[in-house]
Amino acid sequence: MSDLGALPVQAYLTACLLAGGIGLWLGRVAWRERDEPGGLEVALYLLCGGGVSLLYALRVVAPGETAMRVALNLATPLLGALPVLWILFALAFTGHDRWRTENRIVALATPAFAWVLLAWSSGTHGLARRSIAPVVDGPFTLLGYGLGPVGGAFVLLAYGLCIAGALLVVDLYERTGNRYRLQTFVVLLGTLFPFLAGVATFVDVGSYAHLSWLPTAFVIHGVFLYGTVFWLGTLDAAVVARDTAVEVMQDPVIVSGSDGRIRDLNPAAEAILPPEAVGLSLSEAFPRLEDGDEHPVTVGDRQFDIQEDPITDPRGTDRGHVFLLRDVTERERRQTELERREAELERQNERLEEFAGVVSHDLRNPLAAASAAVELARQRADDPDGALERAANAHERMDDMIEGLLALATAGETVDDLDRVSLDATVRRVWSRLETADATLTVEGDATALADRDRLEQLVSNLFRNAIEHAGEDVAVTVSVAARGDGVALAVEDDGPGIPSEARERVTERGVSLGGGTGLGLAIVGDIAEAHGWTLSVAESDAGGARFVIDGVEAADG
């Protein structure tokens, strides 16, 4: 048993007991919050480190060799687990969770498990430990031993895992730049303690060659890891997202520090910035980004919208800014093309209005004068060869065309103001205004719809005229009104010769006439229907004539 009254023994016991208490307490706290990424590894690391510290204290105060051996054997599996837990934590911390497969965890744990079994049975073969015996070292009475070949191999493996984990953290530091420098520095600083304590132990640095400070160093390391995970809040989705999302984003991402210098770029940003951009200030590498006056920003032949977000740590300290540049080149191209088309359409509308004015005033007035002169000549003289009759018919046809062109100029304008109209009353009112000769009208059904009253009457009038002109003066016209879903359908049909199936798709085109008309009447019907958002279809009536169906008419409520 060591001399418990000696100051070195008291100091060592105090350090081990304090480290053991801190390790077990923090490990218990971390265990309750182990759902945090990496939290489980930190909890187990602290619990193992705290347990080893207490067992090493027990080795010092143990009254005999048996108690020393029990404490050593109990500490052995905890020591074996520590390097494995460290490398698993490093993989989680650096965003390499895809490497933490079940097979790889088993592969990492297997050497430690084998070393523990061989260490427990070293008395029979000496592969892990040999020459195990109490050794008096000043005021300490310790259980000393040498390393067997398996023990030496495991020590090298443990240091290899320690170095590999540290390299992963260094790689993270290089990849993420300023955003995680504090966190990576804390982790690397904590890693120095078990590394240096191990070196001091195995090269016999100090006054007591058999005394090990590794347990205390493990707890200190675990405290650093705990602070990184649960205080600095590093281990969240950000590290993984940075590798799996930001790196593959097509939009450039630029990270600047609190000093205004560029700290990090994703590959898309590297493609638009100079090669030496990292480390330069924003004003040097991308002045338009820092100014923020130009929207969107043009880079080469591409255009970007800028989204700027501040970076703050959990304490609210300003750490820099993230700039996301969204490629809006195609959107801007479409917008430019749309504006160009709108301007062109506006110019066309202006020319159309000018044309309508010319037709209405400059053509209609002289045509009216010519028609009056022909009519006067017909009254004063005979017309044996029918020349005046043909002239009057030509004037009438020209007047019809002028009226159709004027209607066509406004038929397709978007309808903004809608009236509540009775379809039955509208149909009968339009019919009463026309010269229908011997034609007959039948109206089936009624509904109150929302429509532009004047243009609806023009639509119905054109359909009636089409029926009279192409089916004869004794045509029977039937108008049916029926509810369809949430709307109303208006159908106008006749018993005339009908429209050939191959011509039904084009009879509503401008200038297309199957009976020598102007070719504008049905085109105006189509434009008015389209302006309301209705659909026009052409079919065959039950009597073999033409059937025009206006579908999608909005019904008025109530």
Side-chain angles (χ1 to χ4, degrees), residues 261-310:
R261 295 189 175 275
I262 296 177
R263 300 301 185 191
D264 198 12
L265 305 170
N266 71 341
E270 292 173 352
I272 66 172
L273 291 181
E276 68 281 0
V278 175
L280 296 178
S281 66
L282 285 174
S283 59
E284 295 174 318
F286 206 155
R288 286 167 294 174
L289 183 64
E290 186 179 47
D291 295 340
D293 295 332
E294 182 182 350
H295 293 284
V297 171
T298 301
V299 181
D301 59 349
R302 299 166 65 190
Q303 293 179 293
F304 300 92
D305 273 346
I306 303 173
Q307 177 182 331
E308 179 181 356
D309 295 297

Side-chain angles (χ1 to χ4, degrees), residues 472-504:
E473 295 183 351
D474 59 347
V475 64
V477 178
T478 301
V479 177
S480 57
V481 179
R484 285 191 181 178
D486 296 334
V488 177
L490 174 68
V492 179
E493 60 182 78
D494 59 56
D495 60 353
I499 301 173
S501 57
E502 65 273 8
R504 291 172 188 165

Side-chain angles (χ1 to χ4, degrees), residues 330-398:
E330 186 62 23
R331 186 197 73 187
E332 292 298 312
R333 186 195 65 78
R334 290 195 301 268
Q335 181 64 26
T336 301
E337 177 64 18
L338 179 61
E339 291 175 356
R340 185 193 65 79
R341 293 179 63 183
E342 287 179 349
E344 181 180 351
L345 184 60
E346 186 175 351
R347 290 193 298 270
Q348 290 177 351
N349 288 338
E350 291 175 356
R351 289 196 295 268
L352 187 58
E353 290 178 0
E354 293 175 359
F355 168 74
V358 170
V359 170
S360 178
H361 300 289
D362 297 348
L363 291 182
R364 216 164 194 178
N365 290 339
L367 179 60
S371 298
V374 169
E375 185 63 26
L376 183 60
R378 289 177 63 187
Q379 293 177 1
R380 291 181 178 179
D382 295 332
D383 187 21
D385 56 357
L388 293 177
E389 179 68 24
R390 289 193 298 273
N393 291 338
H395 289 161
E396 184 178 354
R397 177 175 172 81
M398 291 173 64

